[in-house]
Each structure stands twice: as C-alpha cells, then as structure tokens.
Amino acid sequence: MNVPGGGLLVVHGPAGSGRTSVLLALSGRMRLHTGVVRVGRHRASGAGAGRVRRLVAVARADGAVAAEGRLRVRELIAERCWLEPGVTRRRVVEAARPLGLHLRAATLIEDLPPLDALLLDLALALAAGPPVLAVDAVDRDFTGHDRDRAWQALAAVTATGRTVLSTTAQPPVPVPEGAVLLALPHRSTDLPADRTAHATPPAR
C-alpha cells in the first residue's frame, strides 16, 4: 500500500479494529511487531522513528494525543506556542482560516462542538508546518453535514500539498478523488492481507 505525497489515507474499521494503533504506527509513535512502515525514505521504526515523528504531526489520537478540555481556546494556543518551536498565534489563525474555523478565544475546549474541536486540533498541528498530518476518529460524534465538512477540511489540507493520514469508522461518501482506503478487520488480531505501508511526504 502506497500513499502519495499530498494524498489522503483513510483507515476505516469498527471500534476495536486497531485504527488508532495503525495511525500511531504510521507516525512512528508505536513499535511494530511485524510489517514495515516507511515515510519517505525513513522507516517508522528503529533509528528512523525519530525522523518520522518529526515529519508527521499527530493532530489527535484517542488515548494518546488530545486537547485538555478545561483549557480555553486562547490557553491551548498559548500552550502550543510555548511547547512547539515555530508555532505562533498568528500561524494558528492562518491555519484555521482555510478550514472554515473561526476561533473564539474564551471558549472552553470541552464546550466546543465536535466539528470545531476537530478543526482546532488540525489548525494547531498545521501551525507547525508538518509535511504529513495524522488525525484520528474523523467522523466521531458528527452529523451527516458536519461529517462532510470534516472531510472537506482534510481535502483543503491535501490541497496545500500535505499528506494526510486519517482514521474513521466509516469511509467518506463519496470517497475523495485519489484517496487510499485501508479497511481493517473487526478484530485487531486479524491482520489485513497487506502488511506493508508506505507514505510519501510532499516533495520539497
């Protein structure tokens, strides 16, 4: 399986199928027991894992990467600016604009509608300028309209030339042109037939 630079990978399957684990493995944040994952020229394991982690920003991943709900939007942005070199409030605002997100600084993260919470996660990750973006549970808690808007936001990200790695319970309908779909079995112990994955960052 190959995901071209500037492409979209959609990993889909039911709860418990290992979607988040696949995403973390693709981003160099989970050790593999079998198979090979490469991002560009780098293997997402061993000595190459650190390089892959620098190439792939994880916007959110269940149980691993999530925004603190008790913070306000302005506090979360300030925290990210402090933790992530090169991230500024201006860059977060610029990243949010093409996603259709209008930031309200005083809003608590836990009070954001699901779509706005997702878009904020994307904007914070994009502000660091990564060539590859990983985002978990794209369709969680969404109505049909918001689900469509979420996939449109990811299409806007790929339109900038970035590669997007995503997970979802159900693949989008219609499937975005050029998207690569990876269906997971009902149980994570049932391995998919193709155990090799390759994601390509956009050319620089």
Side-chain angles (χ1 to χ4, degrees), residues 21-102:
S21 296
V22 170
L23 193 74
L24 293 174
L26 289 171
S27 63
R29 290 163 173 85
M30 178 171 284
R31 184 177 299 177
L32 298 173
H33 293 288
T34 185
V36 178
V37 171
R38 289 188 177 89
V39 178
R41 301 185 304 274
H42 308 283
R43 291 184 61 161
S45 58
R51 179 59 177 165
V52 170
R53 286 193 293 270
R54 289 189 289 273
L55 289 171
V56 184
V58 179
R60 74 178 186 189
D62 284 351
V65 179
E68 171 55 61
R70 291 171 295 182
L71 293 178
R72 298 187 184 278
V73 169
R74 61 169 174 265
E75 294 169 335
L76 184 62
I77 294 173
E79 178 185 70
R80 186 61 59 91
C81 293
W82 181 65
L83 292 173
E84 190 80 28
V87 174
T88 64
R89 186 183 185 282
R90 180 175 180 177
R91 292 190 68 172
V92 174
V93 171
E94 290 173 348
R97 189 175 299 118
L99 301 177
L101 174 64
H102 302 286

Side-chain angles (χ1 to χ4, degrees), residues 172-186:
V173 178
V175 176
E177 183 178 355
V180 177
L181 270 60
L182 173 61
L184 297 182
H186 285 274

